[in-house]
Structure formats: C-alpha cells, structure tokens
C-alpha cells in the first residue's frame, strides 16, 4: 500500500469528520456527539502522520530514530499534561483553559514557521509570505492567549495603559511587517538573528496588544485569538502542502471570526472597540457620586420574604459560580417551588465569563432548562416579579447602561432587575464590578443588599425558609 | 501503484481556502448563545490538527535547533488537541437530554 495515498485519504476523512463534527456541535441536541466525531478525525490524522517516517528528507534520514523518539516523548507529554489539566479544572475556570490550549496551538503554528524559515526549506514568494504571516499570527496568538489566561486566572490584575500605548503598538506592528517583508524580499535567505528578532517582536506584540484589555472583554479576545490560531494553522498548512491543516485551519479561522463578532454583539461592543478603546479609564470621572446609600438586609429575612412572594426571578452571575453556590441555589429554588412560588432564572448573554458559560454552570447543578430564560425572553417580566435576586452579578444588571449616557457601559443590554418590586443583591462586599463601574442598582430605593459569600447566604436562606415549616 | 501526493498550490489552494472559509461561516451562523462557549472550545480543539504539521516538521528536522523547535511544536500542538478535546467534551456533557427535569 502506498504510504502517501494512505496519508492523503486519512487526511481527507479527518477533514470531513472535523466539519461534520463542528456542524453537530452547533445544535444543542447533537452537540455531544459532535466532539466525539471530530476527535475520531484527530486520532486518525495523528496516526496517519507516523507514516511520514517512511518517507523523510534525505538530510533528516540519519536523525530519524532520534526525531521519532522526540516526537513520541513530546506527544506523550503534551497529551498527558493537557488531558490531566483538562479533566481536573473546575467548570468556572474553563475560559482560561480554552485560552491556554489555544495559545499552545498558536505556538505550534509559530514553531512550524520557525523550522521552515531557519531551515531555509520554503521557496517561492507565496509559500514564504504565508510562512511568515502564519508565524507572526501564531506567535501573537501564543503570547496574547497566555496574557488572557493569566488575567482570567487572576495572575495579572493590572491593565497596562499609557497615553501613547496605541502609538507604540502601531509602530511595533509596522516594524514587524517591515521585517516580514524584508525576509520575503530576500527569498528567506536572511541570517538567524533576523528570524529571532521577528519572532521575539511578534511575541512582545501579542503581550502589548492584550495587556490594555480589561478582564470583562477577555472572552471576545480569546475568541479572536482562536480565529488567529486557525488562520495561522491554515497558512502553515499551505506551506507544508497539508490539506488537513489548510481546511481545518481556515474553517476555524472563519468560524472563530464569526463567533468573535457574535460575542462582541452580545456585549454591544464592536471588536475594534474592545481592542483599542480605553475601557474603564473614564469611569471614575464620568460617574460622579451615587445618590442614596446601600441598604443591607439579613439573608434570613430576605429568604423569608421570597418564600411569601408569588414570583421570583434569579439573575445569577460569575460570583455565584466562584462561590460554588449553584447547588445550594437550586436547593433554595426547589424549596421555593414547593411553597408555590414561581421561580425563573434570567441569563444575561455574557453571564459568567463567556456567552453560554452560566447555562453550563447551572446545568451542572441540575437546574432544568425550562425555568432558565434568555435576557430578551424575560426582560419584560421583571415588572411583574415580586422579588428579583441578583447573585454575584454586577455589570449585567446595572441600570446605568440604560439611563446614564456618560457611563462606560452605556448601551450594553442589561437585565431589568431594577423594575421588580423588591431587589436583593447578594454580594461579597461593597466593591465595583469587573469593569470597574459603579452600579446604580445598589443605591436604588427598592434594592437591599445581602452581604456575604453566596454559598453561606444560600444556606441561611434555606434554613430560614425551612424553619417556617409547612408550606407544602 | 503510482500515487504521489497532490501538490496544492496557486488557485487550487485558494479555492480550498475560500470554500473552507464559507463552510466555517455557514456552520456557525445562527447558533444559540448558549453554545458559543462550547463551540469556541470545539473549534479550538479542531485547530489542534496543527500537531500533525508539527510532527512532519519534527520528523524532517536535520539540525539541533530544528529538533528543539520541532519538539516544542509537537508538545504544544498535542496540548492544544488533547486539552481542547477534554474541555469541550466536559462542557458538552452538560447538554445531556435532561433526564432529571423535575416537574412537580
């Protein structure tokens, strides 16, 4: 059997399985089998790749056994580490893990570009241009994703901002492009320090580009880097004459770009706005003082009031998940339902850290779908609700987004919790939200604050309601 | 059997890129927001195919720097593929047809 034919047909089947798997993943009913389908494609492609050993370059032939050993070690290490970390990470930390794995893919694409370039293996201006471009995008995706991971993981809290930052970044990009063009101009025959400078600057650029972006915008940025990595992989696929990389990379490149736009739209921001605005910088001056004060209430009192309400809407946020309070919350919900209270969940499109993240977290706690509602579907119902309870959410319920034109989040769609007769806000302390913006809701007349860890608050509410007895 | 690998250059490559881009666009269009995160993670897994390219590069490496970079490339690519798969699979586990729906 001809090895090249076997490799090519495996890639063909893999490319089909990737697209089919992605298609299945785009509907909730078939999503679970989609990833398995794509996974089979991946295993097939990787196994077929070992047939390369039958037909390597003349120059590499003496090194074949070393290279093969290295390949097996690298595969085992990468696979083992990622499998373990992926299995053990908490659901709340998924977004940063996606960022991390994505950065690794970008790094791999950049590594391919580096080998092709320093080995002077690429010829022809198209191949060379795509190798350089793919290397650039891959390196930016690597360092950018690492910064995104570190920010979401709370390892970097600072947002680097200074007046001329965009100017510095702009010049950096120009220098990068100039070096790239020079490499292509010279037909790739430049000395290794030029390549080293190119990749080092590309990595720095990724860092500089991501540092000024606030944590709240990170999902959009991760999605953008995901599309970047896809593009880089597609380009390197051209350089290696590998159709599986070309197709998979380009499908992800375009799908990722569209996802980025959809996410940005859900947050009412444009992608350019996310990347280049100085979000948060104005917030302190523009806001002025809040009228009124925050009024505290005991968790048990709030719980009892909910027990005697007829309709309660819950607006959960990331704080709920951080406190691991989903399960306790669902226990409370069941208690309220038993007492005849109508309970609904209102999910903001970017509740949690990414669109859809909160649905995943609630599903994990066993909350049935039919009481979970999207923002558009439930926003009209708040005015009929006796109690709206906000748990660990902040920016997504800030009425200033509707009313205060000077607020940095003005125009972002928010849950209209302030229209409920009574609002309870469960919150750890008196701090600001992720965007650093003051929340007018906390100062509203119909709002009372329940301070404390979400899980402990849930427990005291449950106890308070249980102590009333009866209610069935 | 006389079979040699197809060489994908020029317009053939361009056609592949164009059709693949449309495919990606069409597949993602009109998905509900609840699937955005799993889909991003799923597409993150799919570009893990880069490990295959890195494998080729490493197997054809003929100098120490190439071997080092190739090793890193395969390591990172394998991490991308394996991590992407596990995380996506765990997220999608949540979309089990809900057997525990309680209607009382």
């Amino acid at each position: 059997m001809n090895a090249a034919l076997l490799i090519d047909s495996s890639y063909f089947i893999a490319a089909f399985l990737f697209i089919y798997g992605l298609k299945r993943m785009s509907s909730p009913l078939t999503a679970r089998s989609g990833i398995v389908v794509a996974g089979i494609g991946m295993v097939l492609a990787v196994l077929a790749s070992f047939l390369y050993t039958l037909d390597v370059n003349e120059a590499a032939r003496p090194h074949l056994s070393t290279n093969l050993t290295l390949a097996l070690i690298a595969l085992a290490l990468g696979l083992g580490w990622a499998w373990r970390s992926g299995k053990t990470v908490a659901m709340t930390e998924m977004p940063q893990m996606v960022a991390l794995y994505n950065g690794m893919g970008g790094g791999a694409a950049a590594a391919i570009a580096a080998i092709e370039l320093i080995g002077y293996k690429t010829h022809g201006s198209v191949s060379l241009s795509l190798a350089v471009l793919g290397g650039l995008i891959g390196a930016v995706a690597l360092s950018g994703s690492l910064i995104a991971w570190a920010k979401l993981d709370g390892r970097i809290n600072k947002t680097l901002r200074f007046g001329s930052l965009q100017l510095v970044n702009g010049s950096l990009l120009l220098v990068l492009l100039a070096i790239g063009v020079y490499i292509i101009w010279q037909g790739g025959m430049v000395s290794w320090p030029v390549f080293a400078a190119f990749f080092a600057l590309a990595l720095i650029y990724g860092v500089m580009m991501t540092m000024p972006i606030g944590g709240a915008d990170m999902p959009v940025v991760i999605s953008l880097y995901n599309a970047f990595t896809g593009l880089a992989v597609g380009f390197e696929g051209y350089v290696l004459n590998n159709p599986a990389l070309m197709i998979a990379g380009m499908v992800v490149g375009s799908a990722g770009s569209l996802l980025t736009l959809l996410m940005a739209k859900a947050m009412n921001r444009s992608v350019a706005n996310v990347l280049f605005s100085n979000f948060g910088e104005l917030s302190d001056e523009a806001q002025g003082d809040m009228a009124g004060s925050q009024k505290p209430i005991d968790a048990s009192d709030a719980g009892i009031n909910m027990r005697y309400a007829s309709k309660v809407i819950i607006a959960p946020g990331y704080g709920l998940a951080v406190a691991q309070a989903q399960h306790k919350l669902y226990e409370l919900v069941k208690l309220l339902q038993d007492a005849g209270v109508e309970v609904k969940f209102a999910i903001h499109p970017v509740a949690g850290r990414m669109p859809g993240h909160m649905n995943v977290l609630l599903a994990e706690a066993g909350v049935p779908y039919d009481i979970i509602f999207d923002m558009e579907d439930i926003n009209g119902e708040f005015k009929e609700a006796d109690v709206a309870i906000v748990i660990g959410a902040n920016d997504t319920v800030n009425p200033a987004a509707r009313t205060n034109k000077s607020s940095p989040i003005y125009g972002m769609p928010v849950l209209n919790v302030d229209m409920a007769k009574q609002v309870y806000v469960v919150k750890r302390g008196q701090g600001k939200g992720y965007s650093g913006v003051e929340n007018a809701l906390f100062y509203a007349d119909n709002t009372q604050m329940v301070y404390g860890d979400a899980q402990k608050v849930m427990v005291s509410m449950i106890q308070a309601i249980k102590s009333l007895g009866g209610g069935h | 059997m006389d079979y040699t690998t197809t060489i994908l250059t020029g317009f053939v490559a361009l056609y592949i890129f164009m059709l693949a881009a449309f495919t990606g666009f069409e597949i993602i269009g009109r998905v509900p927001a609840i699937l955005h995160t799993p889909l991003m993670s799923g597409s993150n897994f799919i570009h893990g195919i880069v490990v295959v390219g890195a494998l080729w590069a490493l197997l054809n490496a003929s100098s120490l720097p190439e071997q080092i970079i190739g090793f890193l490339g395969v390591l990172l690519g394998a991490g991308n593929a394996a991590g992407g798969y596990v995380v996506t699979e765990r997220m999608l586990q949540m979309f089990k047809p809900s057997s525990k729906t309680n209607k009382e």
Side-chain angles (χ1 to χ4, degrees):
Chain A
M1 186 77 182
N2 188 313
L5 176 62
L6 206 57
I7 293 177
D8 272 353
S9 29
S10 309
Y11 286 172
F12 180 78
I13 297 169
F16 166 75
L17 291 176
F18 286 158
I19 295 173
Y20 182 57
L22 201 57
K23 177 74 198 159
R24 290 187 75 84
M25 270 186 258
S26 63
S27 154
L29 290 175
T30 54
R32 285 203 311 145
S33 60
I35 184 67
V36 178
V37 169
I40 293 169
M42 186 70 75
V43 172
L44 183 68
V46 171
L47 288 181
S49 302
F50 278 94
L51 293 171
Y52 288 141
T53 48
L54 300 176
D55 182 30
V56 295
N57 290 334
E58 202 111 357
R61 221 157 276 168
H63 305 286
L64 188 58
S65 55
T66 323
N67 288 349
L68 193 58
T69 317
L70 284 176
L72 289 171
I73 295 173
L75 266 182
L77 283 180
L79 201 112
W81 173 81
W83 198 272
R84 256 185 58 115
S85 60
K87 281 276 183 215
T88 49
V89 65
M91 273 294 168
T92 45
E93 284 157 23
M94 286 287 176
Q96 50 263 49
M97 289 317 280
V98 174
L100 194 56
Y101 299 138
N102 175 54
M104 294 173 82
I112 295 174
I115 290 184
E116 289 295 308
L117 291 172
I118 61 166
Y120 305 111
K121 295 178 182 191
T122 307
H123 308 284
S125 52
V126 179
S127 286
L128 205 53
S129 308
L130 289 182
V132 168
L133 202 57
L136 169 63
I137 299 173
V140 169
L142 167 63
S143 59
S145 298
L146 284 179
I147 297 292
W149 164 76
K151 282 199 165 198
L152 283 178
D153 215 37
R155 283 162 207 262
I156 302 179
N157 294 318
K158 282 186 223 126
T159 39
L160 172 82
R161 281 196 192 104
F162 50 90
S164 48
L165 183 73
Q166 297 307 341
L167 197 70
V168 174
N169 279 358
S171 347
L172 196 56
L173 184 60
L174 280 181
V175 173
L176 266 171
L177 291 177
I179 302 178
V181 170
Y182 173 73
I183 294 173
I184 299 162
W185 192 261
Q186 296 293 320
M189 304 313 263
V190 297
S191 55
W192 71 265
V194 180
F195 293 130
F198 180 71
F199 283 105
L201 281 178
L203 290 174
I204 294 172
Y205 181 70
V207 174
M208 298 285 285
M209 191 173 144
T210 321
M211 279 307 280
I213 302 170
D217 286 332
M218 266 322 144
V220 179
V221 175
I222 296 174
S223 178
L224 183 72
Y225 287 144
N226 185 37
F228 272 20
T229 305
L231 273 184
V233 171
F235 290 165
E236 298 310 327
Y238 178 91
V239 176
L240 298 180
N241 192 38
N242 185 324
L245 261 70
M246 287 168 72
I247 293 171
M250 199 48 71
V251 166
V252 174
S254 79
S257 306
L258 184 59
L259 263 182
T260 311
L261 293 175
L262 289 174
M263 281 192 192
K265 207 174 138 202
M267 299 167 76
N268 195 35
R269 321 249 344 243
S270 73
V271 177
N273 198 264
V274 168
L275 292 178
F276 304 118
S277 79
N278 296 315
F279 195 71
E281 219 169 30
L282 306 162
S283 54
D284 287 337
E285 323 149 24
Q287 291 198 52
D289 287 328
M290 288 288 162
S293 59
Q294 301 190 3
K295 297 164 285 295
I297 182 175
D298 264 358
S300 41
D301 292 347
I304 290 169
N305 286 345
M306 284 197 287
R307 157 74 178 72
Y308 292 108
S310 61
K311 181 168 184 173
V312 173
I313 301 181
I314 303 171
Y318 189 63
L320 171 81
V322 169
Q324 296 291 326
Q326 310 90 299
H327 294 90
K328 284 287 165 210
L329 173 62
Y330 186 42
E331 210 181 314
L332 174 71
V333 168
K334 280 188 283 193
L335 219 52
L336 290 173
Q337 283 175 330
D338 286 349
V341 182
E342 184 186 2
V343 185
K344 288 182 174 178
F345 281 86
I347 310 290
H348 190 273
V350 292
R353 277 290 177 269
M354 284 189 198
H357 191 197
M358 185 51 66
N359 301 68
V360 171
L361 294 169
L362 289 178
E364 191 191 13
V367 179
Y369 281 118
D370 49 2
I371 62 169
I372 301 178
F373 295 88
D374 285 342
M375 182 176 66
E376 301 108 69
D377 297 332
I378 202 166
N379 244 353
E381 288 188 36
F382 278 105
K383 52 183 180 297
E384 300 152 21
D386 303 294
V387 176
I389 175 165
V390 176
I391 307 170
N394 193 338
D395 297 326
T396 53
V397 294
N398 191 344
R402 275 199 325 263
T403 52
N404 181 358
K405 281 203 174 136
S406 64
S407 171
I409 59 168
Y410 178 73
M412 180 171 111
V414 288
L415 293 169
N416 297 331
V417 286
D418 56 312
M419 292 180 179
K421 291 187 194 85
Q422 174 71 55
V423 183
Y424 295 127
V425 177
V426 180
K427 208 167 170 302
R428 250 178 316 182
Q430 302 194 339
K432 294 172 185 172
Y434 213 52
S435 67
V437 178
E438 277 283 7
N439 196 334
L441 176 73
F442 303 164
Y443 299 90
D445 290 335
N446 59 342
T447 302
Q448 286 178 310
M449 309 294 290
V450 187
Y451 293 117
D453 173 79
Q455 180 149 356
K456 288 192 186 118
V457 170
M458 291 303 123
V459 172
S460 14
M461 284 179 173
I462 291 168
Q463 279 165 354
I465 295 173
K466 276 190 179 154
S467 70
L468 294 172
H472 283 278
Chain B
M1 200 160 141
D2 284 340
Y3 178 83
T4 43
T5 315
T6 334
I7 307 292
L8 301 160
T9 47
F11 273 96
V12 180
L14 214 52
Y15 281 122
I16 292 182
F17 277 149
M18 179 190 72
L19 293 172
F22 268 108
T23 307
F25 208 81
E26 284 302 316
I27 287 177
I28 301 298
R30 287 197 296 275
V31 274
I34 64 162
L35 277 173
H36 282 177
T37 299
L39 261 176
M40 182 162 116
S41 179
S43 58
N44 178 34
F45 160 70
I46 283 174
H47 67 51
I49 186 70
V50 69
V51 68
V52 166
L55 267 174
W56 186 87
L58 175 57
L59 290 175
N60 284 289
S62 50
S63 67
L64 186 62
E66 285 177 35
Q67 286 174 322
I68 295 172
I69 301 173
F71 180 82
L72 284 177
V74 175
L75 184 75
L76 292 174
N80 181 183
Y85 183 86
V86 174
V87 167
T88 312
E89 209 256 337
R90 279 186 60 195
M91 281 189 206
L92 292 176
Q93 280 297 322
M94 305 302 161
F95 289 97
K96 263 188 213 132
S98 56
S99 47
K100 18 180 176 174
T101 313
N102 64 332
K103 283 192 181 129
E104 287 137 347

